[in-house]
Amino acid sequence: MLSSTVTASISLAAIVIVAAADLKVDLGKETVGKPPTTFEPMVGTWLVQQDGADKVIAVDGRPWVASKDNPTKLLIESARRLYGTSNEELMDNAKQFAYYPVAVLKSVSSFSNGTISVKFKTIAGDSDRASGILFNVKPDGDWLAVRYNDTENNVALWEFHNGIRSNVRFSDRSKPFMLDRAAWHELRLEIDNASLKTYLDGALALEYTLGSQPGPGRNNAPPNSDLFPENNAVLRPPVAGRIGLWAKTDSTSYFKDYVVSSK
């Protein structure tokens, strides 16, 4: 659901064009070269950039190596702004958090059912070139994310729990998504109670049902204990948490047209 402050700020003219349950993040008043005001950067370097006629939000992966061992200060400051406190569990997870730059949308305090979409463009990255949607973010720092990775040409659903990231589902590896890195692409997540569907440029890329029991691990090894919903609240329905943008390690990506449509 959108917060009351967000829905109240939408003008009558905008309501005529966009349904009252929809929110499109407006970057028009952002300042190029500065961190965004619409998103709270939790980890990583997030700046507003100019791309042609558009202002975009960029995650800049170049400082990642230098900063990856000292994420705690930013996490404490961001946690206080978002939750009014410095969460001890969030701090405990800080080391692993450093590998995954995330920026949380300020205007939506909790999102459950509906659609989140964003346009992204891959710019650079040696270790990774990943762009994603962050969702179901809990106050302790646990989260879910769907992402496209240009180094693997696939879509994946990842979960972060107790300071460890684990894969939940990959798209079909036999059908790679060979995207044009110079072009903009759309990633869209549809949440219908426990059902999650992810689309890439309009094509269904991945489906998952929260609460499902995990299959065997690699080489038929027992699955990670974190992938059992009974052990991990972030994998249990309903979705209820903050949302935002996600990247990985040294990825540099541009984002724009972040749209939230709640049921």
Side-chain angles (χ1 to χ4, degrees):
M1 294 178 63
L2 299 180
S3 68
S4 59
T5 56
V6 174
T7 54
S9 68
I10 300 176
S11 68
L12 181 61
I15 294 174
V16 174
I17 300 171
V18 181
D22 291 0
L23 168 69
K24 181 175 180 179
V25 177
D26 182 8
L27 302 180
K29 295 182 179 179
E30 297 281 12
T31 301
V32 173
K34 299 290 187 180
T37 61
T38 46
F39 288 82
E40 181 73 39
M42 298 289 287
V43 178
T45 303
W46 298 82
L47 298 170
V48 177
Q49 301 286 7
Q50 193 76 38
D51 185 63
D54 297 325
K55 289 181 180 179
V56 301
I57 294 178
V59 57
D60 185 352
R62 291 174 298 178
W64 174 77
V65 174
S67 63
K68 68 186 178 74
D69 292 326
N70 188 28
T72 307
K73 183 176 183 291
L74 178 60
L75 282 170
I76 292 172
E77 294 173 351
S78 297
R80 285 174 177 161
R81 282 192 289 266
L82 288 172
Y83 300 112
T85 184
S86 57
N87 188 290
E88 291 184 4
E89 290 178 277
L90 184 65
M91 299 310 106
D92 290 341
N93 293 341
K95 282 293 185 184
Q96 281 294 319
F97 243 92
Y99 289 87
Y100 311 109
V102 295
V104 174
L105 184 64
K106 292 181 179 179
S107 56
V108 178
S109 59
S110 185
F111 183 83
S112 293
N113 283 312
T115 301
I116 306 167
S117 64
V118 68
K119 291 181 181 176
F120 69 91
K121 181 162 63 172
T122 302
I123 302 300
D126 293 326
S127 298
D128 287 287
R129 296 187 294 273
S131 310
I133 295 172
L134 180 75
F135 68 106
N136 210 22
V137 182
K138 305 301 185 183
D140 63 0
D142 289 352
W143 46 250
L144 293 174
V146 290
R147 64 91 177 116
Y148 170 74
N149 193 326
D150 184 71
T151 63
E152 300 176 358
N153 304 113
N154 63 13
V155 174
L157 170 65
W158 291 91
E159 60 92 20
F160 187 89
H161 178 239
N162 287 341
I164 299 173
R165 187 191 70 146
S166 300
N167 174 256
V168 180
R169 179 68 53 84
F170 280 112
S171 59
D172 187 346
R173 293 178 184 273
S174 69
K175 300 177 181 178
F177 292 92
M178 308 302 294
L179 302 187
D180 179 1
R181 287 178 57 189
W184 285 94
H185 303 279
E186 184 189 61
L187 189 66
R188 186 172 86 250
L189 170 66
E190 294 183 357
I191 304 172
D192 185 2
N193 296 313
S195 174
L196 308 179
K197 294 182 179 180
T198 304
Y199 296 82
L200 184 59
D201 287 343
L204 181 62
L206 186 150
E207 294 183 85
Y208 186 76
T209 301
L210 288 176
S212 299
Q213 294 298 302
R218 185 174 297 178
N219 298 323
N220 289 319
N224 187 318
S225 61
D226 277 351
L227 295 179
F228 289 92
E230 56 266 31
N231 299 333
N232 186 349
V234 81
L235 289 174
R236 295 195 295 266
V239 169
R242 289 186 174 272
I243 60 176
L245 299 168
W246 181 97
K248 186 181 178 186
T249 62
D250 68 338
S251 301
T252 295
S253 300
Y254 285 175
F255 298 93
K256 67 177 182 178
D257 296 349
Y258 194 96
V259 179
V260 183
S261 304
S262 61
K263 286 188 178 180

